[in-house]
Amino acid sequence: MCIRDRAYPIGLYLLDSNGKSLMECDSKAILSAETTETFLLELNTIRTTLDPGKAYTLVPCTYKAQQNSGFNLVVNSNERVNIETIPELEFGYSKKITSEWNARNSIGSSKNPRKNYSQFINNPHIRVECVNNTRLRVHLQSQEDYLVAIHAYKITTDHQYELFADSGSYTNIRMGCFVNLDLQPNPNGYLFVFSTFEAGQIGKFTVEVCASAQRDVIITQNYDVNSFSRQPKA
């Protein structure tokens, strides 16, 4: 991939059908019109083997929002592939929630050996109850320069937290962090946890929850995860 006409840092992301990041390629450098196309392609190339019969998403993006420019994207394969642009997902309902990481709840990543694993779900979180089958998108946004991720847990009938989806590798929040899921009603609902990679990182963020219709979901922001006092299941 190479960008045209502007000097923007760019990235290229490979996602699976659930929106989980499989591979990432960030330029981390200002790419200008004077830079050769060969150099751009070397910096922003994804090489991988994909399973046949499955659908994947390639997402080209700029580092910051509102950076407008054309770009060229070339896909090479040793087998025939079908490539098409994806229209915006249509949701009948969306709700934005403002929250923050603070000294009390900025627990950090479950993959960070310095964190207390049993406390991971005390990171900022929301509970979503599905009244009907629904397509759901949870999108995490912030102006902070942190590595972040979303983890989705099913709250089981025996009151444990069963991890079933995440946004992939911890990524810079300015790149966008989200999960797209097809959910069914679950008696105890689902928990979405928003964590920074490092513990103790403080700042405000916004979560946008989109669903097929307002009647399909009930969203609880201040859900007491300690009422169960159970550790998340990997």
Side-chain angles (χ1 to χ4, degrees):
M1 184 182 82
C2 65
I3 199 168
R4 302 195 304 264
D5 307 325
R6 295 290 188 274
Y8 297 149
I10 55 177
L12 187 61
Y13 293 79
L14 178 67
L15 314 177
D16 67 12
S17 58
N18 289 323
K20 181 177 181 178
S21 177
L22 301 177
M23 190 170 292
E24 304 170 3
C25 182
D26 294 332
S27 67
K28 302 296 185 184
I30 299 295
L31 305 181
S32 66
E34 289 74 27
T35 311
T36 66
E37 182 172 317
T38 301
F39 178 65
L40 297 181
L41 288 172
E42 287 177 352
L43 280 178
N44 289 81
T45 300
I46 284 180
R47 295 182 177 88
T48 188
T49 301
L50 302 179
D51 295 331
K54 293 185 177 181
Y56 300 88
T57 303
L58 276 173
V59 182
C61 64
T62 56
Y63 180 68
K64 294 182 179 180
Q66 308 301 320
Q67 292 183 324
N68 302 317
S69 177
F71 64 88
N72 295 325
L73 178 65
V74 178
V75 178
N76 297 303
S77 174
N78 60 348
E79 299 289 344
R80 181 181 177 87
V81 293
N82 295 321
I83 301 174
E84 59 184 13
T85 57
I86 302 175
E88 277 292 313
L89 292 173
E90 294 184 2
F91 296 98
Y93 170 71
S94 68
K95 179 178 181 178
K96 286 191 175 183
I97 299 168
T98 300
S99 187
E100 66 177 7
W101 293 289
N102 55 44
R104 178 178 55 85
N105 67 15
S106 182
I107 307 300
S109 164
S110 63
K111 299 175 183 178
N112 187 334
R114 290 175 293 177
K115 80 162 279 303
N116 183 344
Y117 282 61
S118 65
Q119 295 297 313
F120 178 68
I121 54 176
N122 287 306
N123 277 293
H125 56 265
I126 60 172
R127 177 179 178 268
V128 176
E129 179 183 350
C130 295
V131 180
N132 303 301
N133 292 349
T134 185
R135 164 75 54 94
L136 193 80
R137 171 190 279 177
V138 180
H139 187 195
L140 176 62
Q141 299 173 294
S142 176
Q143 294 301 311
E144 304 296 340
D145 194 21
Y146 296 154
L147 297 178
V148 300
I150 303 171
H151 290 77
Y153 294 90
K154 178 181 179 181
I155 306 176
T156 65
T157 53
D158 59 347
H159 303 309
Q160 296 194 36
Y161 297 93
E162 182 178 325
L163 180 66
F164 73 95
D166 60 56
S167 57
S169 302
Y170 277 75
T171 186
N172 192 294
I173 195 171
R174 294 183 180 180
M175 294 288 190
C177 181
F178 66 92
V179 290
N180 287 322
L181 301 169
D182 291 310
L183 296 182
Q184 299 176 342
N186 175 50
N188 290 323
Y190 301 89
L191 192 75
F192 292 84
V193 180
F194 314 105
S195 65
T196 57
F197 185 75
E198 296 288 346
Q201 293 183 313
I202 295 173
K204 297 183 181 298
F205 64 88
T206 300
V207 174
E208 183 177 22
V209 181
C210 301
S212 301
Q214 183 172 1
R215 65 177 180 273
D216 292 339
V217 293
I218 300 173
I219 302 169
T220 305
Q221 182 174 0
N222 298 313
Y223 179 68
D224 184 10
V225 294
N226 294 313
S227 61
F228 293 154
S229 298
R230 300 295 184 97
Q231 182 169 333
K233 295 169 63 179

